[in-house]
Each structure stands twice: as structure tokens, then as C-alpha cells.
Amino acid sequence: MITEQVWIVDDDSSIRWVLEKALSNASISAASFDSAENLLTALDHGQPEIIISDIRMPNIDGMELLSDINHRFPNIPVIIMTAHSDLDSAVNAYQGGAFEYLPKPFDIDEALALTRRALTHAQELKAKTRTQETTSVPVGIIGEAPAMQEVFRAIGRLSRSSISVLINGESGTGKELVAHALHLHSPRAKESFIPLNMAAIPKDLIESELFGHEKGAFTGANTVRHGRFEQAHNGTLFLDEIGDMPLDIQTRLLRVLADGQFYRVGGHSPIKVDVRILAATHQNLEDRVNNGDFREDLFHRLNVIRIHIPSLRERKEDIAQLANHFLVQAAQELSVEPKTLEKSTLEYLLNCEWPGNVRQLENICRFLTVMASGKEIHINDLPSELSETTPTITDSQNNWQGLLQQWANEQLNAGNQGIIDHALPIFEEILIKCALANTKGHKQEAAKKLGWGRNTLTRKLKDLNM
């Protein structure tokens, strides 16, 4: 029986219309349903290649529908849509057996790309048993920025895996939180999560910390000590700042990863372990490999999957939510009423550079909970570190036309040629980035704000290699 390639189920008629129109324009046949009940009835008479389902619907919701489809028709990939773009939604969708997770509001190009990928996958998919939705554990990761959505997607995709992961990002971005989330949403969740910061341990103690030691192995070793590998047996070992690990310890670590066994310091009997390794660094490991400071074979062993944690500068749309969370958290710790940010204070925070990232914001919220005199936090309550690192905006800086004129005169006086060819791409790139940030990555809305058509924005993004 021939049926449509894609079935859409959503109780919002506008979502159904937009998706049907977009799929039709892409020559993909589609049908839509206003409830999960109607779709389930239709499945008794024919099946599509893929299904796109909302997660919040009356009576039977998207997760119940997903469970039913995976049980009865495991060869139909399901894309789950949700307006609740948080870690729990992403992990629950993937653990429930979803093929993909599409946060609302979505970009039409992204929705079409996911649909095409699911259609391709449907041709090759072999029937297999899907695990049911599990209860998720909150791990304190907050973020609605597109860059954080990619992190949530990665955690969700890896939720049924014990594969090694390399997490990179600047100091203070929350690499350990992501590692902990990877552990809690993995088959090893009931076992130990053991963190170890390489940069915080003296080099002569790292070997003993990792592998333990036998009694009498060195002066002061009065008892047998179990190292972090033994403590993490059947669980997860998180090696933070892996780039600071000495070369000789790198060699021993590589052997453990290859053989699944090691010797305690001073020991003669091998100890077998089953440990998942998660590693993190703020350094460029490729550069350290090229400089001979990090073993290339260990790098490739750890770099099976890589997750990049964005800096706070790359996710400024999350600052308000993060600040409110940290202010409430600090108030609970101190048993006081939580403070709130005055509007101009929040705007000021949005313009800060945040070299210390989320950790810096958290510490400042603790400071403000203690030091701000009123319930509402004003700009003059902020610590000096912010006023010193954030440039003051002057009248001349606000007059961008004057600055442009000054720059043009400088370029012309220097005898430079083709200055408009140099300036125009930069000008357009800045406007595009601001528009996309303002619309949270929605290209059609960004194009409208810029006064362009959607095709123009798409072409500009390609021309500017954005």
C-alpha cells in the first residue's frame, strides 16, 4: 500500500501547515494529524517512512506515541518536536528511541535536513528493540542557546553508550557538569563517577592517585591505597585538564585503555578494570601533539567523540536564566530571600566579556546575594572586576557613522585601495550575527529583520563562510 513519506502529528494547526508546505516544496509527500489517536488509527491501515511528532499533546502525548510506535513499528524513525529545549527533553527523547530531537521554534532548513536524513535512514533501518523512556536526573545544566542545544543533542545521542568522550571548552564553561550528565544518562549511571583534575595534583603524586599503591611502595605508603581507576570500576573516570598530564603517565594511561588492566605503584599483580574515560581540556590538544607534549596515539584514543562547550560570550542569551538560577541557589544556601536583577543591570551583564565564563557569573551572583544592599540589584552593586573588564560606551562610540568616517579617512590617507571590498563583508557579517542571535538562529526571521529575503541571507552565509 502506497502512503505518504512523512506523517506529522501536532495539535497546533499552524505547525502542521508550515511543515506540510515546506515538505511539499521539497517534493516530499506528507499528511498531518491533529492528535496521536488519529495517527495510531491510521497506522493500522498503512505506514509512512517517518513520523514527525510534537511532544506536548492532549490525551496521548509525544513520548507515549513514540513508545507505541517503537514497539509496533520499530522501522519507522520518529523526530520529536518540543518547545521545552532543555537537557531533560533531549535525553528523554533519545532514550525513548527518537531518531532526532527538534527544538521549537525550529528553522525550516534544519527541519528539512533532519527529515531527509531520517528518510535515508529509514531505507536501511533494521528492526531492533528500543529502550523505553527512563527517569532523567537533573544535573544543573541550563541553556536555550543554539550552541547549548548541540551539547544537549550530543548527551542524548550518547545516552546508551559507554564510548570515550573528549570535552573541550574554556575554563569555567561547565565541562565537569557535562561529564557528569554523560555519566548520569549512561548505562553506568548506577556506578561511581570519579573526577580527577590533572592540573591540581603534584606531578609526583599523579601516578599514585590514578593507579593506587601497595603498602611500602615508597616512604609514607603505610597502607594499600586504591587509585581512581579502581574506584571507578564499572563506572566513569573523568580526567579534567588532561592536557596537563605528564608524558610518562600518558603512556601508562594508554596501556590501561588498550589492555583494561594496570599495576599499582609497587605492585606485581595486574588489576583488571572496566572504566569509561571522559576527558576534558581548555587547551588545544592538536597543538600539544604537534609540540610533542601530548601523545598522538593517546589523543586519538580519547578523541572518539568530541563535545565543545561554548563560552558564555557565545551564549549570552542564557545569561538572564543562568543569573536568576544562581541568585536563587545562593539565597537558598544562605537562607535569605533571593535578589533580582534590575533591567539596566541585566543589560550591563549582557555586554560583559565574561573571561571566567559561567563560573565567574556564579561567583558574582553569590557576591551580590551577600553584598547588594537591596532586594533589587543595581549596576553600582556590581563588583569592580566587571566595571574594569567591560569597556564604557561613550557618545563617540555610539556614533558608528563617525567611527566609520574616521576609519575610512585613515585607510585613504594610508593609500589603501579597495577599502569598500574590505569593509562591506565585515559590516554584513556583524549584522547577520546580531540578527541570528536576536532570533535564536531562526534564519527566516533574521532575514526579515535585516530587510532581506531568505534566499539572500542563505547566499550571504555561504559567501561569508559563516
Side-chain angles (χ1 to χ4, degrees), residues 306-369:
R306 185 182 297 207
I307 297 178
H308 172 72
I309 313 300
S311 67
L312 194 52
R313 296 183 300 281
E314 298 174 279
R315 46 180 297 216
K316 289 194 172 183
E317 56 265 63
D318 290 338
I319 287 177
Q321 187 180 5
L322 285 165
N324 288 332
H325 170 75
F326 291 139
L327 287 170
V328 169
Q329 189 179 64
Q332 290 172 347
E333 291 172 0
L334 298 168
S335 300
V336 298
E337 285 292 314
K339 289 179 166 55
T340 59
L341 294 169
E342 196 262 335
K343 184 177 179 181
S344 61
T345 308
L346 177 57
E347 291 175 356
Y348 186 92
L349 294 178
L350 293 175
N351 288 314
C352 292
E353 286 301 308
W354 299 109
N357 293 295
V358 178
R359 185 186 297 126
Q360 182 186 12
L361 177 60
E362 181 180 10
N363 290 338
I364 284 173
C365 287
R366 283 202 177 96
F367 168 88
L368 292 169
T369 299

Side-chain angles (χ1 to χ4, degrees), residues 20 87 187 189 238 247 250 276 280 301 311 330 367 396 402 432 466:
E20 277 195 280
L87 173 59
F238 172 53
L247 282 168
Q250 291 178 33
R276 181 192 194 183
R301 174 78 69 164
S311 67
F367 168 88
S396 62
I432 290 170
M466 294 176 65

Side-chain angles (χ1 to χ4, degrees), residues 211-377:
F211 308 112
H213 59 251
E214 299 287 354
K215 182 179 179 179
F218 49 83
T219 303
N222 299 320
T223 59
V224 173
R225 185 181 189 280
H226 292 179
R228 301 303 174 96
F229 265 99
E230 284 180 87
Q231 295 170 26
H233 180 55
N234 291 327
T236 302
L237 178 60
F238 172 53
L239 300 176
D240 199 3
E241 299 305 343
I242 190 76
D244 290 320
M245 179 179 281
L247 282 168
D248 59 329
I249 304 299
Q250 291 178 33
T251 301
R252 287 205 62 183
L253 174 60
L254 186 64
R255 289 192 192 123
V256 179
L257 295 178
D259 303 334
Q261 64 181 29
F262 63 94
Y263 293 85
R264 295 193 191 114
V265 176
H268 303 288
S269 300
I271 298 171
K272 291 186 176 293
V273 287
D274 176 12
V275 174
R276 181 192 194 183
I277 297 293
L278 303 177
T281 182
H282 72 281
Q283 303 179 63
N284 187 317
L285 286 189
E286 287 93 337
D287 287 347
R288 292 188 66 77
V289 168
N290 293 334
N291 294 334
D293 297 321
F294 200 87
R295 290 186 60 121
E296 185 175 8
D297 44 5
L298 177 59
F299 169 71
H300 291 303
R301 174 78 69 164
L302 295 173
N303 191 37
V304 180
I305 300 290
R306 185 182 297 207
I307 297 178
H308 172 72
I309 313 300
S311 67
L312 194 52
R313 296 183 300 281
E314 298 174 279
R315 46 180 297 216
K316 289 194 172 183
E317 56 265 63
D318 290 338
I319 287 177
Q321 187 180 5
L322 285 165
N324 288 332
H325 170 75
F326 291 139
L327 287 170
V328 169
Q329 189 179 64
Q332 290 172 347
E333 291 172 0
L334 298 168
S335 300
V336 298
E337 285 292 314
K339 289 179 166 55
T340 59
L341 294 169
E342 196 262 335
K343 184 177 179 181
S344 61
T345 308
L346 177 57
E347 291 175 356
Y348 186 92
L349 294 178
L350 293 175
N351 288 314
C352 292
E353 286 301 308
W354 299 109
N357 293 295
V358 178
R359 185 186 297 126
Q360 182 186 12
L361 177 60
E362 181 180 10
N363 290 338
I364 284 173
C365 287
R366 283 202 177 96
F367 168 88
L368 292 169
T369 299
V370 175
M371 302 301 294
S373 54
K375 185 174 180 181
E376 192 172 55
I377 299 169

